[in-house]
Amino acid sequence: MTQTMAVAKALNESLRKALENDPKVLIMGEDVGKLGGVFRITDGLYKDFGEGRVIDTPLAESGIVGTAIGLALRGYRPVVEIQFDGFVFPAYDQIVTQLAKMHARALGKIKLPVVIRIPYGGGIGAVEHHSESPEALFAHIPGLKVVSPSNASDAYWMLQQAIECDDPVIFFEPKRRYWDKGEVDVSALPGALHRAVVAQQGTDVTLAAYGPMVKVCLEAAAAAANEGRSLEVVDLRSLSPIDFDTIQASVQRTGRLVVVHEAPVFYGAGAEIAARITERCFYHLEAPVLRVGGFHAPYPPARLEEEYLPGLDRVLDAVDRALAF
Amino acid sequence: MSVKSTAAGGPPAKGRGRTTRATVAKRRGGEPGLVQLLTPEGERVEHDDYAIDLTPEELRGLYRDMVLTRRFDAEAITLQRQGELGLWASLLGQEAAQIGSGRATRPDDYVFPTYREHGVAWTRDVDPLNLLGMFRGVNHGGWDPNENNFQLYTIVIGSQTLHATGYAMGVAKDGSDAAVIAYFGDGASSQGDVAESFTFAAVYNAPVVFFCQNNQWAISEPTEKQSRVPIYQRAAGFGFPGVRVDGNDVLAVLAVTRAALDHARSGQGPMLVEAFTYRMGAHTTTDDPTRYRRDEEREEWASKDPIARLKIYLEREGLADEAFYAEIDAESDALAKRVREGVRNMPDPGTMAIFENVYADGSALVDEERAQFAEYQASFETGDTTAGTGH
C-alpha cells in the first residue's frame, strides 16, 4: 500500500500510528498541541488524541526532557519535540547525565524508552540557533541511540521503530527535507533501524551521508554520471550505532570513500567513519578517506549558508581529489 | 488530615494561634514560621495545622530508625577512613528530616533521592549495603528502583526533581492516589531544574512533594548564597503551598510530610516542605568544614539533636525502658557488623561488566568493542600478545 507523502506528513502519520498502537505513547513539547508544532509535525494529533496524550509543555527544555524521563520511569513512552536544534542545549544535561545512563546505573532493571525529536540542519534561511547539526555531540554519548532519516519512507518507519525501542533515541529530522515528497509503503516491513542502505549503486567512489546530505549526494552522483563517473551513495540512517559493515562492503567495491555531512568536519561523524573504515579497509583503499562538511565556525547568517553548506560542487571536488590519488 | 496552608507559604494566619506559635518558637530559639511538635528540650508542643498522635510503639520505632541510621552512617564514615569506601556523604544531624519524611510515605508512593538519603532508604526497606556499592566503586547505583519505589541516588544536583515531577504526572494519568516525593538540598534550590520542576508540577497539578533538606550549607556556601527569601516561600511564586518544619523534630517532619503527601494524593497538586536542619559533619568525606564554618554554630545545632530530644521525651513519658535501649544497642552493633563485613566482602564487578546494560536493546558498537576487549583479555591467558584491543 504505497502512498506519496512529504517527509513532514510521513512523520505526522508515524506519530499518529504510534499513538494509536500504544496507549503509553505520549507526545510532549512546546506548541505541539493546538498549533501542531512550528513545523506542523504533530498537526491534528491534539484534536484526535487530546491533551492527555499530546502535551503542550512550559517553555523549558530541561523540564521537558526531565519530566519525560520521569514518565518513562512510570511506564510511559514519551516522544519529545525540541523545537529547533540550537534549543536542545538547556536539556543536554538531562539527556547526557540522566537519560543516557540510568539503564546502566540500575544494572538494566529499568528502561528509558524516550524519543527526542530534533529538527536539525540548515538550508531554510533561519536565524541563529535554528540551523545547527549537533548530532556528533549525542552520538558520542554511550547509552543514546542517534538516527536521522533522509526520506519520507524512513521518516515514517524509523520514527515508529525509535518509539518502539527500549533505549533513548535522539531522532534528528532534516528540516529542509520536510517538504520533499517520497513513496511510503505503509504495509511493507521496514528494514532494521540501525542498518545503512545503498541508496545508489556505483563503482568508482563511495559517498557516505545521512539526513539532509543524502539528497545532495544523490544529485552529485547523477551529475557525475553525466561525466562518466559512477558514484555509490550510502545512506547511513543511523549515527549511533553506525553500520560500518555496509560502508565497508561498499568501499571494498569502490576503493574510495568521501563522507559528507553539514556538521563541522572537526571531530564530526566523518572523522569516526574515516578512522574505522581506514582500519577495516586499509588494503582496499586507493585514496585517503576524505570529508566534506561544515567549517570550524559558528553556523553563518542565512545569507551565507549556501556557501557554508556542502553542495554539489564541494562534493564533486572531493570526488575528484579522491580519484586523483 | 487537611492542609490549610495557602500559596502565601506556611500555615495561614489564625489570629492568636499564629502569634502564640511564633512567640513560642522565638522563645525557644527557633525560627519564626517553623512547625515544631517536639522542642529541643524534648517537650511536646501542639500545632493547630499539624497534629500528630502516635502510639508508644510508633514513637519507639522512630527512635530506633534514627539510631540505626546514625549508626549505619557512622560505620560508613569509618569504612571510608579505612579505605573501604571511596567517598561517603554523611547524613549526621539529618536523621529526623529523613526518617520523619520517609515514614510518612506509603509503600506505593515513589521516592526520588539525592545521594544523602540513607535514612529515607532505610524507611523504604532498601538494604543499606545497596547504598554502599556506588561509594565503594562497584557500581553507579545498582539496585532495582521499582523494588522499593526508591529511585537511584542522583549526583547531578536537582536533576531528580524533574524525574519526580514527570513520574508524578504519570501517577496522575494512571488515576492512582499514590504520591511522589523529591528530595533536594538548599543548594539545589538554585538549580534551574528545581525551578523547572516547580513550574511543571504546578502547571500539571502533579502529585509531588518537594522535600528540601535545608542543612544550611551547600559544601562551603551558606543558604544566604542560594536565596534571598526563606526557601519554603519560593513555592508561593509557583502557585503552591510551602511550609517550613523543624527538620530536627521527627514528629513535626512526619506530620508535615504526611499532610503534604495527602495534599498531593488528594488532587491538590504539589507542595514544598523545607526541613530546617543542619549537616553536622562534612559535605562528604573529602570536605573540610573547619575552613568555612564556626565551631559555635555546630555546637548550637548539636543542642537541637533530633535523637537526643526524642530520647528525653520517651524517658519523661516512660515510654521506653532500659531493655529497649539495650536492644537498640545490640541491633546497632549487629547492623554495623553486617555493613562492615558486607562492604569488605563486596565483590568487584567482572571486567566485562563495563559493556553490560549500556543499551536495553543492544548495540552493534558495544558488541564489537566487547568482543575486541574480550580477545585482548584472553591474549594474556594464551600469551598471544598480537591480539589487539582494536584501538
Side-chain angles (χ1 to χ4, degrees):
Chain A
M1 210 169 70
T2 301
Q3 302 169 24
T4 302
M5 60 178 95
V7 167
K9 181 65 177 168
L11 293 166
N12 178 264
E13 289 292 329
S14 186
L15 290 172
R16 174 176 292 279
K17 200 161 175 211
L19 285 165
E20 280 169 0
N21 288 348
D22 184 351
K24 293 293 186 186
V25 171
L26 305 172
I27 311 287
M28 298 172 66
E30 297 158 11
D31 306 306
V32 298
K34 283 183 180 166
L35 182 66
V38 292
F39 288 106
R40 309 291 182 269
I41 304 302
T42 56
D43 190 31
L45 301 177
Y46 176 89
K47 182 167 95 28
D48 294 341
F49 294 91
E51 63 178 0
R53 305 286 307 280
V54 182
I55 304 168
D56 270 328
T57 62
L59 205 78
E61 282 79 8
S62 189
I64 295 170
V65 173
T67 52
I69 290 171
L71 282 157
L73 292 172
R74 181 69 188 183
Y76 287 87
R77 304 184 87 86
V79 184
V80 161
E81 177 174 302
I82 299 293
Q83 208 153 58
F84 281 94
D85 34 55
F87 303 164
V88 74
F89 295 104
Y92 195 64
D93 167 49
Q94 282 286 347
I95 295 171
V96 171
T97 71
Q98 308 298 315
L99 183 62
K101 292 182 171 176
M102 253 185 212
H103 174 73
R105 293 184 55 227
L107 304 183
K109 302 290 187 190
I110 52 175
K111 291 172 180 170
L112 277 299
V114 177
V115 175
I116 299 176
R117 296 179 37 240
I118 307 176
Y120 83 120
I124 64 164
V127 296
E128 197 186 13
H129 309 302
H130 288 66
S131 302
E132 296 171 10
S133 299
E135 60 270 19
L137 298 175
F138 295 88
H140 192 62
I141 305 300
L144 301 177
K145 291 183 169 173
V146 182
V147 301
S148 179
S150 70
N151 57 62
S153 178
D154 278 351
Y156 180 79
W157 283 115
M158 287 171 67
L159 183 52
Q160 287 176 74
Q161 291 170 308
I163 294 168
E164 283 163 12
C165 178
D166 280 334
D167 290 308
V169 180
I170 315 297
F171 194 89
F172 280 103
E173 298 173 0
K175 67 171 88 81
R176 69 163 145 151
R177 303 293 175 227
Y178 273 152
W179 304 280
D180 287 5
K181 288 186 174 170
E183 298 286 301
V184 180
D185 186 346
V186 297
S187 56
L189 285 176
L193 180 59
H194 301 289
R195 180 90 33 86
V197 298
V198 176
Q200 164 82 54
Q201 290 190 330
T203 54
D204 295 339
V205 178
T206 297
L207 300 178
Y210 54 88
M213 278 295 136
V214 172
K215 186 178 181 184
V216 171
C217 289
L218 289 170
E219 287 168 357
N226 292 333
E227 299 167 7
R229 281 176 179 166
S230 170
L231 307 187
E232 181 147 304
V233 179
V234 175
D235 182 351
L236 297 179
R237 300 171 76 248
S238 173
L239 294 170
S240 179
I242 290 178
D243 175 8
F244 290 106
D245 292 345
T246 297
I247 310 172
Q248 178 181 349
S250 175
V251 171
Q252 284 174 351
R253 286 193 294 273
T254 62
R256 290 176 171 83
L257 174 62
V258 176
V259 189
V260 185
H261 52 61
E262 289 187 14
V265 163
F266 192 64
Y267 279 98
E272 181 61 41
I273 293 166
R276 296 241 180 198
I277 291 302
T278 302
E279 219 175 308
R280 285 178 175 226
C281 303
F282 191 69
Y283 295 107
H284 289 91
L285 284 168
E286 303 288 341
V289 178
L290 299 179
R291 292 170 288 162
V292 181
F295 306 111
H296 195 57
Y299 192 87
R303 296 280 179 167
L304 281 174
E305 69 178 342
E306 289 307 320
E307 308 301 321
Y308 175 92
L309 292 167
L312 276 192
D313 289 343
R314 278 171 61 198
V315 174
L316 291 172
D317 177 67
V319 167
D320 287 345
R321 282 189 285 132
L323 285 165
F325 277 92
Chain B
M1 185 185 306
S2 72
V3 179
K4 295 173 210 149
S5 311
T6 64
K14 282 174 51 181
R16 248 165 32 130
R18 187 183 178 91
T19 314
T20 309
R21 279 198 309 279
T23 312
V24 167
K26 220 160 208 162
R27 182 159 50 79
R28 298 187 190 285
E31 294 280 324
L34 200 66
V35 177
Q36 195 175 67
L37 298 176
L38 189 63
T39 69
E41 295 76 29
E43 197 179 318
R44 260 307 251 121
V45 289
E46 295 305 321
H47 191 284
D48 290 351
D49 300 313
Y50 300 100
I52 198 160
D53 187 18
L54 299 177
T55 65
E57 197 185 348
E58 286 169 326
L59 288 164
R60 284 192 298 271
L62 293 171
Y63 180 83
R64 172 182 175 268
D65 286 339
M66 291 198 289
V67 170
L68 288 176
T69 298
R70 180 170 289 186
R71 181 58 178 269
F72 165 68
D73 186 73
E75 191 60 33
I77 292 172
T78 304
L79 286 164
Q80 194 280 333
R81 296 293 183 235
Q82 294 172 349
E84 301 286 351
L85 299 175
L87 183 78
W88 183 247
S90 167
L91 65 38
L92 185 63
Q94 298 177 224
E95 294 87 353
Q98 298 199 10
I99 297 300
S101 59
R103 284 292 173 213
T105 62
R106 286 191 334 210
D108 62 334
D109 292 340
Y110 214 106
V111 176
F112 286 80
T114 70
Y115 45 78
R116 202 191 294 279
E117 269 64 81
H118 323 313
V120 185
W122 173 264
T123 68
R124 303 294 301 181
D125 294 329
V126 175
D127 186 338
L129 279 170
N130 278 346
L131 306 178
L132 296 166
M134 68 182 291
F135 293 101
R136 187 168 171 84
V138 301
N139 59 44
H140 289 306
W143 63 86
D144 179 353
N146 292 327
E147 211 162 276
N148 303 88
N149 283 12
F150 186 81
Q151 250 295 328
L152 301 172
Y153 277 0
T154 307
I155 305 277
V156 179
I157 305 298
S159 296
Q160 75 284 356
T161 58
L162 279 169
H163 310 160
T165 302
Y167 194 93
M169 289 161 65
V171 166
K173 278 183 179 300
D174 293 343
S176 160
D177 77 337
V180 178
I181 184 165
Y183 287 85
F184 62 103
D186 40 306
S189 71
S190 300
Q191 288 280 359
D193 274 3
V194 172
E196 292 189 22
S197 69
F198 286 3
T199 297
F200 275 69
V203 164
Y204 297 112
N205 208 45
V208 57
V209 171
F210 296 108
F211 192 91
C212 177
Q213 287 175 87
N214 178 358
N215 68 11
Q216 314 301 326
W217 293 94
I219 307 189
S220 70
E221 294 194 10
T223 311
E224 296 79 61
K225 291 278 185 201
Q226 316 296 339
S227 183
R228 190 161 162 171
V229 299
I231 289 169
Y232 76 95
Q233 287 181 6
R234 289 186 164 192
F238 293 87
F240 55 88
V243 59
R244 179 181 269 185
V245 61
D246 183 341
N248 286 16
D249 171 355
V250 71
L251 303 185
V253 174
L254 177 59
V256 167
T257 312
R258 203 178 258 172
L261 289 164
D262 285 345
H263 173 89
R265 70 173 94 255
S266 64
Q268 298 177 77
M271 190 163 161
L272 170 63
V273 176
E274 178 190 358
F276 204 72
T277 183
Y278 194 73
R279 181 241 293 160
M280 294 296 288
H283 165 69
T284 68
T285 42
T286 60
D287 174 38
D288 176 11
T290 64
R291 295 173 74 104
Y292 56 82
R293 70 182 188 190
R294 296 172 298 113
D295 289 344
E296 301 83 61
E297 180 184 294
R298 193 183 185 281
E299 283 158 23
E300 186 194 324
W301 277 93
S303 70
K304 302 175 187 174
D305 186 82
I307 298 180
R309 73 172 77 174
L310 184 58
K311 189 171 188 183
I312 296 171
Y313 179 67
L314 290 176
E315 289 182 343
R316 182 181 299 150
E317 301 292 318
L319 298 172
D321 55 16
E322 282 310 311
F324 169 73
Y325 295 114
E327 193 184 311
I328 301 283
D329 280 348
E331 220 180 329
S332 292
D333 289 344
L335 175 66
K337 184 165 182 281
R338 185 166 85 82
V339 165
R340 192 162 55 245
E341 289 176 358
V343 165
R344 287 179 177 155
N345 294 325
M346 206 174 268
D348 283 350
T351 306
M352 301 315 278
I354 292 169
F355 303 97
E356 281 166 21
N357 300 309
V358 183
Y359 294 95
D361 285 354
S363 159
L365 179 60
V366 175
D367 292 345
E368 183 184 326
E369 293 190 353
R370 181 198 286 117
Q372 285 167 348
F373 195 60
E375 191 187 343
Y376 174 69
Q377 295 283 56
S379 71
F380 292 101
E381 307 288 324
T382 62
D384 173 16
T385 51
T386 60
T389 60
H391 300 289

